[in-house]
Amino acid sequence: MRLLPLALGVPQRGSPRHLPYCSSAPLLLLLLLLLGGCLGVSGAAAGSRRPNVVLLLADDQDEVLGGMTPLKKTKALIGGMGMTFSSAYVPSALCCPSRASILTGKYPHNHHVVNNTLEGNCSSKSWQKIQEPDTFPAILRSVCGYQTFFAGKYLNEYGAPDAGGLAHVPLGWSYWYALEKNSKYYNYTLSINGKARKHGENYSVDYLTDVLANVSLDFLDYKSNSEPFFMMISTPAPHSPWTAAPQYQNTFQNVFAPRNKNFNIHGTNKHWLIRQAKTPMTNSSIRFLDNAFRKRWQTLLSVDDLVEKLVKRLEFSRELNDTYIFYTSDNGYHTGQFSLPIDKRQLYEFDIKVPLLVRGPGIKPNQTSKLLVANIDLGPTILDIAGYNLNKTQMDGMSFLPILKGASNLTWRSDVLVEYQGEGRNVTDPTCPSLSPGVSQCFPDCVCEDAYNNTYACVRTMSEMWNLQYCEFDDQEVFVEVYNLTADPHQINNIAKSIDPELLGKMNYRLMMLQSCSGPTCRTPGIFDPGYRFDPRLMFNNHGSVRTRRFSKHL
């Protein structure tokens, strides 16, 4: 299949392989460089070729429970040839809010995508009007002169009729090859530059992961060679329905979900939603989650093949050494932790921690960084690679390009914000008649993974002194969970009632600061940074009552 750019004047078959989307691009690029729009990585001189960038995004791939184990080629080709981040987090453990954070470089309270529905601002008209024009791909294309290519899952409600349908192509993309709505492997529809194309269930032509691999290779064959390129390839794996390619459906038969210390135990001293899980789990739930775990790994083997094909093609075209390749996921996943069978959405490490591997020019091979990064940093980092002045953005994240380059004496953050707005149905689940309204995702065995008051915000802190998580729920209890992950990496013991009250007060205030932050104020020192200043009086208003945080109730 040949992918055509979003522009007029595209050559027909038989014409040269070079497919510029704008014949005046080199002149425009030179003008932008002279104006200081994008000067190239590390302040390169005007006129030098800026690096290419590839962002590979998996769907629901955990890091804590061995999600990277099947990806042997990916670990060797990206992590082994570059840097692996061991402390990479998402600001919301749900697909659409997390993907919106990647694209905008903002926390959910600033991009206002709160769940996977149109009403939650997922690919809504409001999102399209307010946020899409300022995403980092839009800047790469309009200011930095990059060719931009997208293939795969965009946002969960993309293609909804009430939001422009599949004809809508977000600003910033030269080539658009997007999946309608949520992840599938067969029987789906794609928007190809705004035109719908349906796929069936023939493996050789329809299996989505392979289709994404093929169209990505086509882009590398037909793109312009005079401008740098950015590719974002968003695979369905390992999201449900966990349909593996035929050649991989019998792999990992002796693999089971990890029986770690928080597997199939009661969530004592945790939020009520965790405590409602049935402990011990039924045998049918355990069989179900083990099967899901195995199938998730099977689907990832095709992703591993995609990565290998992409790297080999870049090497063949002699572009690999000029290309940064990022691999990450939109959120983690759990299978049996605290007796929750399968899902995400929770505040714990297994849901908020993700893989992040990067290779590229100037990155030494086989490195590991323990520094705290988040997916809001991806946009700033990629813009930094392109030479864009980050002071011109309103992004909350930071560029970790200096970390990739091995900068010494680097001042870096010690905390990130995690926030989630719970989602519940206002009617009783017909499959679980004993449950009250207000809960959702009650499967299997009527164990609910979400609820309207599963609304929380956390400060995830890492420093030389502490490996700490402080969380508050927006419910009648104002329930608090605190974990010392140095002593308790599986987050079994909630120490909210035993921790030093002064530290508790500081974390509460820091959480309020982060929940109201925007842009530079999201990058202020955390409580364990030398520059942090704490005035307890700021926790009180003029009437002497304790300040409370503001959770987003509306868009």
Side-chain angles (χ1 to χ4, degrees):
M1 178 182 296
R2 188 177 185 183
L3 187 65
L4 300 180
L6 288 168
L8 299 175
V10 177
Q12 303 299 313
R13 289 192 181 275
S15 59
R17 195 173 173 189
H18 174 74
L19 294 181
Y21 63 79
C22 178
S23 59
S24 61
L27 180 60
L28 175 61
L29 177 59
L30 179 59
L31 178 60
L32 289 170
L33 289 169
L34 294 174
L35 292 175
C38 292
L39 298 178
V41 65
S42 302
S48 63
R49 177 63 181 260
R50 287 154 302 144
N52 309 307
V53 182
V54 177
L55 173 59
L56 295 151
L57 181 63
D59 194 353
D60 284 3
Q61 185 179 5
D62 66 276
E63 194 275 337
V64 171
L65 301 178
M68 285 298 296
T69 302
L71 298 177
K72 295 181 180 180
K73 292 179 283 191
T74 300
K75 289 189 291 184
L77 293 171
I78 302 180
M81 298 304 295
M83 182 175 288
T84 298
F85 287 86
S86 60
S87 301
Y89 289 85
V90 296
S92 187
L94 188 63
C95 298
C96 203
S98 182
R99 289 165 182 265
S101 288
I102 291 173
L103 291 165
T104 63
K106 297 177 181 178
Y107 283 121
H109 69 265
N110 286 327
H111 61 59
H112 306 297
V113 178
V114 297
N115 57 42
N116 289 343
T117 67
L118 276 179
E119 295 76 16
N121 204 28
C122 180
S123 202
S124 67
K125 289 185 177 180
S126 174
W127 158 266
Q128 295 169 15
K129 179 180 179 181
I130 298 172
Q131 300 297 340
E132 281 185 345
D134 293 323
T135 61
F136 79 85
I139 296 172
L140 284 176
R141 184 183 183 190
S142 64
V143 180
C144 301
Y146 272 66
Q147 302 167 89
T148 53
F149 166 90
F150 182 87
K153 176 178 172 180
Y154 178 58
L155 300 177
N156 294 57
E157 283 296 321
Y158 172 74
D162 291 342
L166 294 175
H168 171 69
V169 178
L171 290 174
W173 299 103
S174 316
Y175 299 78
W176 182 250
Y177 200 83
L179 176 68
E180 180 183 31
K181 297 194 174 182
N182 208 357
S183 282
K184 292 184 178 181
Y185 299 82
Y186 294 110
N187 297 311
Y188 54 85
T189 302
L190 296 171
S191 170
I192 303 179
N193 294 346
K195 303 293 183 181
R197 176 174 291 173
K198 293 187 177 182
H199 281 257
E201 50 189 35
N202 182 340
Y203 169 71
S204 63
V205 294
D206 297 318
Y207 189 68
L208 182 56
T209 305
D210 292 351
V211 169
L212 299 182
N214 293 335
V215 75
S216 299
L217 299 181
D218 284 348
F219 167 75
L220 292 176
D221 284 342
Y222 289 107
K223 66 176 175 58
S224 166
N225 290 321
S226 62
E227 299 94 33
F229 62 83
F230 168 70
M231 303 178 70
M232 184 170 178
I233 306 168
S234 181
T235 73
H239 196 285
S240 62
W242 315 307
T243 308
Q247 67 270 29
Y248 296 132
Q249 289 179 357
N250 294 320
T251 57
F252 306 123
Q253 291 303 305
N254 296 319
V255 169
F256 302 91
R259 268 53 170 175
N260 53 6
K261 290 185 177 180
N262 55 18
F263 178 84
N264 201 16
I265 67 171
H266 187 256
T268 307
N269 295 323
K270 288 176 167 53
H271 190 241
W272 75 267
L273 184 66
I274 309 301
R275 299 197 306 267
Q276 59 84 38
K278 298 173 183 177
T279 307
M281 291 183 288
T282 63
N283 289 335
S284 60
S285 279
I286 293 177
R287 285 194 298 269
F288 181 83
L289 68 87
D290 277 337
N291 189 48
F293 187 90
R294 189 177 303 114
K295 287 184 175 181
R296 283 164 51 80
W297 274 23
Q298 291 170 354
T299 65
L300 284 169
L301 293 175
S302 293
V303 177
D304 212 28
D305 292 340
L306 183 158
V307 172
E308 181 184 40
K309 292 174 184 176
L310 187 71
V311 170
K312 285 186 174 180
R313 182 62 59 89
L314 289 168
E315 186 175 31
F316 177 78
S317 62
R318 299 183 180 179
E319 294 175 300
L320 183 60
N321 292 336
D322 298 321
T323 302
Y324 287 87
I325 304 177
F326 295 71
Y327 183 93
T328 190
S329 173
D330 56 0
N331 50 257
Y333 207 74
H334 58 259
T335 47
Q337 284 61 49
F338 303 124
S339 298
L340 298 171
I342 56 162
D343 201 49
K344 52 261 186 169
R345 306 166 204 267
Q346 309 307 331
L347 58 87
Y348 309 104
E349 293 286 280
F350 42 73
D351 283 358
I352 64 173
K353 193 173 184 179
V354 293
L356 177 58
L357 293 70
V358 191
R359 68 170 291 171
I363 305 176
K364 295 180 180 179
N366 203 27
Q367 294 188 88
T368 299
S369 174
K370 297 180 180 180
L371 293 177
L372 184 60
V373 297
N375 72 6
I376 58 171
D377 301 330
L378 290 169
T381 302
I382 292 170
L383 289 177
D384 197 9
I385 288 170
Y388 186 75
N389 182 355
L390 298 180
N391 293 326
K392 295 181 179 180
T393 76
Q394 295 299 314
M395 294 182 175
D396 303 331
M398 305 167 63
S399 169
F400 55 80
L401 183 60
I403 299 175
L404 296 173
K405 294 284 190 176
S408 58
N409 299 321
L410 181 66
T411 300
W412 194 250
R413 66 154 71 90
S414 65
D415 60 21
V416 293
L417 174 69
V418 178
E419 52 189 349
Y420 178 67
Q421 186 162 319
E423 189 177 357
R425 303 175 62 185
N426 60 6
V427 296
T428 300
D429 189 332
T431 62
C432 303
S434 63
L435 299 177
S436 300
V439 294
S440 63
Q441 310 298 320
C442 301
F443 177 83
D445 289 329
C446 294
V447 175
C448 301
E449 297 275 359
D450 208 355
Y452 73 93
N453 72 346
N454 184 38
T455 296
Y456 59 82
C458 307
V459 181
R460 184 67 178 89
T461 293
M462 288 185 181
S463 70
E464 293 182 0
M465 295 176 57
W466 283 96
N467 185 359
L468 185 73
Q469 186 176 19
Y470 172 92
C471 302
E472 292 185 15
F473 284 83
D474 185 28
D475 57 13
Q476 291 181 342
E477 296 179 271
V478 192
F479 196 82
V480 177
E481 295 188 29
V482 182
Y483 299 97
N484 177 359
L485 282 93
T486 301
D488 179 23
H490 295 96
Q491 296 170 287
I492 295 171
N493 300 309
N494 179 7
I495 60 173
K497 294 182 178 180
S498 60
I499 197 170
D500 182 350
E502 181 180 355
L503 177 58
L504 205 64
K506 288 182 178 180
M507 295 301 294
N508 172 270
Y509 178 60
R510 179 62 178 162
L511 181 58
M512 290 191 294
M513 290 177 63
L514 285 175
Q515 276 210 285
S516 60
C517 77
S518 179
T521 60
C522 297
R523 305 188 290 272
T524 54
I527 70 168
F528 295 112
D529 293 335
Y532 180 76
R533 297 293 180 268
F534 173 61
D535 184 353
R537 294 173 297 179
L538 296 176
M539 296 179 63
F540 298 87
N541 60 25
N542 294 333
H543 302 287
S545 60
V546 177
R547 289 177 57 189
T548 57
R549 294 167 292 99
R550 294 181 180 179
F551 286 87
S552 173
K553 296 296 185 185
H554 306 284
L555 298 185

